[in-house]
């Protein structure tokens, strides 16, 4: 088993929370993992990116080579496009379709959507709205994690256990909301993959 995942987004969206949850779940699966993060101006809405490498065999580098990522997992569509050079030919793009417009020269969404549509394997939908429907607006990162989970060789129960462990100090309501968001994202992705 091997998964090389580029996690991308904007500071404050919860991308590093996804990395923490997947890392904890991978350890429960007795997998090796390496992670490298780039925070940039993350506290001010800047680019946040993490290389997460999971494997049943030892991993020697924490960085993913160009063309080596199995997945680009992003909470922001332009950030997903930024990392396309890292995606392998068989790789998947999993992204929120709602832009986080934090720069004056943000590209037109028609162009962003056209570039995403040109990718052969894409799971893209409005994760913000789904998060609001099943949990809270702040749970869109857990919807994204759920959407990526069918493509990651880790049991969903182990991912849910990691969500529980991370959020339990904030209370059962927060745990339940985040697990609901995870399950909703997973169900939506499974529906998209079937079609």
């Amino acid at each position: 088993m091997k998964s090389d995942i580029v996690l991308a987004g904007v500071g404050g969206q919860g991308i590093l929370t996804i990395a923490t949850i997947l890392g904890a779940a991978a350890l429960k699966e007795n997998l090796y993992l390496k992670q490298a993060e780039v925070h940039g101006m993350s506290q001010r809405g800047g680019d946040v990116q993490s290389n997460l490498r999971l494997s049943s065999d030892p991993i020697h580098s924490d960085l993913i080579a160009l063309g080596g990522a199995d997945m680009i997992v992003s909470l922001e569509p332009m950030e997903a496009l930024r990392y396309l050079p890292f995606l392998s030919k068989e790789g998947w793009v999993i992204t929120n379709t709602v832009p986080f417009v934090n720069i004056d020269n943000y590209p037109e969404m028609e162009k962003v959507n056209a570039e995403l549509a040109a990718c052969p394997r894409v799971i893209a939908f409005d994760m913000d709205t789904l998060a609001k429907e099943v949990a809270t607006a702040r749970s869109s990162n857990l919807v994204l994690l759920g959407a990526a989970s069918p493509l990651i060789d880790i049991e969903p129960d182990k991912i849910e256990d990691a969500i529980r462990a991370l959020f339990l100090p904030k209370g059962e309501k927060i745990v339940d909301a985040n697990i609901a968001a995870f399950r909703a994202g997973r169900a939506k992705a499974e529906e998209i993959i079937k079609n």
Side-chain angles (χ1 to χ4, degrees):
M1 176 271 173
K2 177 190 83 67
S3 288
D4 287 339
I5 305 166
V6 173
L7 298 163
V10 173
Q13 288 188 306
I15 290 300
L16 299 180
T17 298
I18 294 172
T20 299
I21 292 166
L22 282 176
L27 290 175
K28 287 194 180 267
E29 288 272 348
N30 294 315
L31 297 174
Y32 293 92
L33 76 112
K34 295 258 185 181
Q35 181 183 356
E37 299 170 359
V38 176
H39 297 273
M41 299 286 286
S42 61
Q43 292 184 348
R44 296 196 173 108
D47 173 37
V48 176
Q49 179 262 335
S50 178
N51 283 251
L52 182 62
R53 305 190 70 207
L54 310 171
S55 179
S56 52
D57 298 315
I59 303 166
H60 301 291
S61 173
D62 54 358
L63 297 177
I64 299 169
L66 291 174
D70 299 302
M71 280 175 262
I72 306 293
V73 177
S74 181
L75 258 175
E76 208 290 324
M78 186 183 74
E79 293 300 328
L81 295 177
R82 180 190 308 263
Y83 295 101
L84 283 181
F86 288 89
L87 192 64
S88 73
K89 291 179 182 175
E90 299 81 32
W92 283 81
V93 175
I94 301 98
T95 187
N96 190 359
T97 56
V98 179
F100 186 97
V101 180
N102 59 347
I103 55 173
D104 293 337
N105 60 345
Y106 194 96
E108 295 176 22
M109 279 310 296
E110 294 78 27
K111 290 180 181 177
V112 172
N113 289 333
E115 283 193 55
L116 284 172
C119 298
R121 284 166 292 285
V122 178
I123 296 171
F125 60 92
D126 180 345
M127 296 179 186
D128 293 356
T129 297
L130 184 56
K132 288 175 195 170
E133 288 172 3
V134 300
T136 69
R138 293 185 54 139
S139 299
S140 56
N141 62 330
L142 275 292
V143 170
L144 176 64
L145 175 57
S149 69
L151 303 170
I152 301 170
D153 196 17
I154 296 177
E155 290 295 320
D157 291 347
K158 293 219 170 77
I159 297 174
E160 289 187 15
D161 289 345
I163 293 168
R164 263 186 211 89
L166 182 64
F167 289 104
L168 192 56
K170 296 183 178 190
E172 286 290 336
K173 285 178 82 172
I174 301 294
V175 170
D176 292 345
N178 283 311
I179 288 176
F182 170 78
R183 289 176 179 171
R186 184 176 175 90
K188 179 72 173 174
E190 288 171 339
E191 177 186 315
I192 291 169
I193 291 168
K194 281 181 190 174
N195 297 330

